[in-house]
Amino acid sequence: MIEIRNLRKRFGTIEVLKGIDLAIHRSEVLCVIGPSGSGKSTLLRSIAFLEAYDEGSVTFEDRLIGYREENGRRRRAGEREINADRSGFGMVFQHFHLWPHMSVMENVTEALRVVKALGRAEAEQIGREMLDKVGIAAHAAKYPEQLSGGQKQRVAIARALAMKPRVMLFDEPTSALDPELVGEVLAVMKQLAQEGMTMMVVTHEMGFAAHVADTVVFMDQGRIVEKGDPGATFADPKSNRLKQFLNTWR
Ligand code: ADP
Ligand code: MG
């Protein structure tokens, strides 16, 4: 579904992604783990072209993301083209990025109304469905500041799902939460996975990676160091770097 080939990204003179090759298949749950600064967020952001990669390619359902190739030359896509390229992705970040001046329902329906030009009734019907899915329907009229962190993150997930994405990209969705609120967010993500959603999840939740992921990718210093099914990857790491990394979580 997503094919990443020789992906490279520099910030100034520092190469942060040093040639990433990775495929994500339909209904696959892929967890990306690795130390801070290893390039996990940059990889996720490059897939949705929130960062413009420098070399290589990201294709989504066989379409190149963020660039257009004509007569053997590549040009940066225009803003509308890029928006179209990323429309199949739903994104959830560490910090929820809810609009503070909008109710929960307004947060979830805003893009439906503005981007998809749906009327209020139709948008709110989808909104209720999505809030119900993440267990927040009772809080639809509240404002973000009235919610716990776990509830806010579930609203952010509902907001992404409302746009009917074909892939969900999560960047450390539970890292900003108090420990007792992590479980409710992971439970929603697990349910999504069981429903067959294609998901790429950057996470430090090793339990989630072990029990929900089909594939675990370990990144270090801008490269994929190991990749495999979670059972083998956690039980029998090949590299010393992954062994060391896992030891810090045991
Ligand atoms: P991770 O998510 O694994 O912690 P990141 O992808 O955020 O890693 O960052 C990888 C490297 O790229 C880090 O060294 C970070 O400082 C650097 N980096 C990330 N974003 C930027 C940016 N916008 N400008 C400059 N350097 C950046
Ligand atoms: Mg990160």
Side-chain angles (χ1 to χ4, degrees), residues 1 31 71 117 126-127 130 145-146 172 183 190 206 219 222:
M1 195 169 200
C31 282
N71 308 321
I126 296 170
M130 296 305 144
E145 64 177 13
Q146 297 172 282
E172 299 200 30
K190 185 173 178 181
M206 295 301 149
M219 282 185 74

Side-chain angles (χ1 to χ4, degrees), residues 3-22:
E3 184 86 50
I4 300 165
R5 292 215 179 98
N6 188 34
L7 187 69
R8 290 175 185 273
K9 172 68 184 172
R10 279 180 301 275
F11 288 113
T13 56
I14 300 168
E15 197 170 38
V16 171
L17 298 179
K18 297 173 181 159
I20 300 285
D21 294 290
L22 184 64

Side-chain angles (χ1 to χ4, degrees), residues 11 16 35-42 51:
F11 288 113
V16 171
S36 175
S38 56
K40 306 180 299 294
S41 293
T42 305
E51 301 287 356

Side-chain angles (χ1 to χ4, degrees), residues 199-210:
M199 297 169 46
M200 179 164 169
V201 185
V202 175
T203 188
H204 292 295
E205 292 295 331
M206 295 301 149
F208 182 85

Side-chain angles (χ1 to χ4, degrees), residues 58-116:
V58 177
T59 55
F60 177 32
E61 295 169 340
D62 298 324
R63 289 185 47 176
L64 186 65
I65 297 279
Y67 294 99
R68 293 294 178 271
E69 284 173 343
E70 285 145 15
N71 308 321
R73 294 175 66 178
R74 180 181 273 199
R75 69 165 169 87
R76 173 92 168 254
E79 199 163 334
R80 297 178 73 148
E81 292 171 316
I82 292 170
N83 283 335
D85 289 352
R86 64 162 73 106
S87 64
F89 297 124
M91 280 171 276
V92 175
F93 304 97
Q94 183 174 351
H95 301 287
F96 331 109
H97 303 298
L98 298 180
W99 292 293
H101 60 290
M102 289 186 188
S103 71
V104 165
M105 179 59 88
E106 287 165 344
N107 266 280
V108 174
T109 53
E110 175 71 6
L112 289 171
R113 303 205 58 194
V114 174
V115 179
K116 293 203 171 169

Side-chain angles (χ1 to χ4, degrees), residues 96-164:
F96 331 109
H97 303 298
L98 298 180
W99 292 293
H101 60 290
M102 289 186 188
S103 71
V104 165
M105 179 59 88
E106 287 165 344
N107 266 280
V108 174
T109 53
E110 175 71 6
L112 289 171
R113 303 205 58 194
V114 174
V115 179
K116 293 203 171 169
L118 299 188
R120 179 187 293 270
E122 201 179 346
E124 291 193 349
Q125 190 184 329
I126 296 170
R128 265 191 300 278
E129 210 176 295
M130 296 305 144
L131 289 171
D132 202 36
K133 199 177 181 63
V134 302
I136 300 282
H139 303 296
K142 289 190 178 168
Y143 283 79
E145 64 177 13
Q146 297 172 282
L147 302 180
S148 72
Q151 290 171 330
K152 282 188 234 187
Q153 194 59 300
R154 287 188 279 150
V155 173
I157 294 172
R159 179 175 61 178
L161 291 176
M163 297 298 280
K164 300 269 156 32

